[in-house]
Amino acid sequence: MSDNLEKLHEHYREGDNQFRIAGGVEGIQKLANDFYDQMETLPEAKHILGLHPGDLTESREKLGRFLCGYMNGPDLYKEKYGPLQLAPAHAHIPIGTDEKEAWLLCMEKALEQQPYPQAFKDFLLQRLAIPAERCRNQP
Ligand code: HEM
């Protein structure tokens, strides 16, 4: 990574910069909604859509709340639903490489729709690949 990019990533990691750059609660809830819109649209995501409840309203809200805390903003998920550990929360869902890649594809496409700087989108997608890998429980 170039020195400049490293400095930028350091900046993103400070305080609640990610939360703010992502547009606060409103911006992040939009990201979560766009993410699930992508899941409902992309043929590559049909399989993981099928793992979700038929009504995605709560999934949209839960992801938005979770991502606020993930980006060092207020932990809105915990406030409403209590603490969440991602890997145990996904243990009952069969997630292999295909499912992980489909999830990240939905996120990549949703990030494309946001008014964030490109470097920030790249940073978030790179960051999210880590919990996505942790959720994988199949070869
Ligand atoms: C790796 C691929 C992933 C797949 C296939 C996947 C799939 C799912 C499914 C099917 C549910 C709904 C469970 C239900 O309502 O019965 C769910 C819930 C959830 N997922 Fe994921 N997920 C993945 C990764 C992630 C990642 C990386 C995050 C966050 C960064 C995340 C955040 C959440 C949250 C917050 C919930 C709600 C948990 C709850 O309250 O029960 N997921 N996921």
Side-chain angles (χ1 to χ4, degrees):
M1 215 190 309
S2 75
D3 282 1
N4 278 348
L5 199 56
E6 211 152 312
K7 284 216 173 80
L8 194 56
H9 284 201
E10 246 170 62
H11 167 72
Y12 292 150
R13 287 197 196 90
E14 275 166 24
D16 65 353
N17 282 345
Q18 291 170 57
F19 173 72
R20 289 188 304 100
I21 298 167
V25 176
E26 209 177 309
I28 294 173
Q29 191 58 63
K30 180 182 183 306
L31 173 64
N33 274 323
D34 290 346
F35 169 86
Y36 275 113
D37 286 350
Q38 289 295 339
M39 198 184 282
E40 288 183 308
T41 310
L42 291 171
E44 297 94 324
K46 211 174 170 167
H47 177 50
I48 59 171
L49 176 65
L51 298 171
H52 283 78
D55 181 349
L56 291 177
T57 311
E58 197 174 51
S59 306
R60 290 168 181 269
E61 194 223 351
K62 282 182 166 178
L63 181 63
R65 283 174 175 266
F66 181 84
L67 289 176
C68 282
Y70 181 78
M71 294 191 213
N72 300 332
D75 197 342
L76 300 181
Y77 184 94
K78 194 172 166 193
E79 272 178 28
K80 186 164 177 184
Y81 300 103
L84 181 78
Q85 280 188 291
L86 274 185
H90 289 80
H92 65 293
I93 305 162
I95 300 179
T97 309
D98 281 0
E99 289 75 19
K100 173 187 138 181
E101 293 305 328
W103 193 97
L104 287 168
L105 180 68
C106 295
M107 187 51 79
E108 183 183 350
K109 298 285 178 196
L111 282 167
E112 280 172 13
Q113 294 177 279
Q114 310 311 311
Y116 310 159
Q118 187 57 46
F120 183 61
K121 299 181 191 186
D122 296 343
F123 169 83
L124 274 185
L125 193 64
Q126 248 184 48
R127 241 201 109 192
L128 284 163
I130 297 162
E133 173 59 22
R134 285 210 193 104
C135 289
R136 191 166 65 78
N137 49 34
Q138 310 272 314

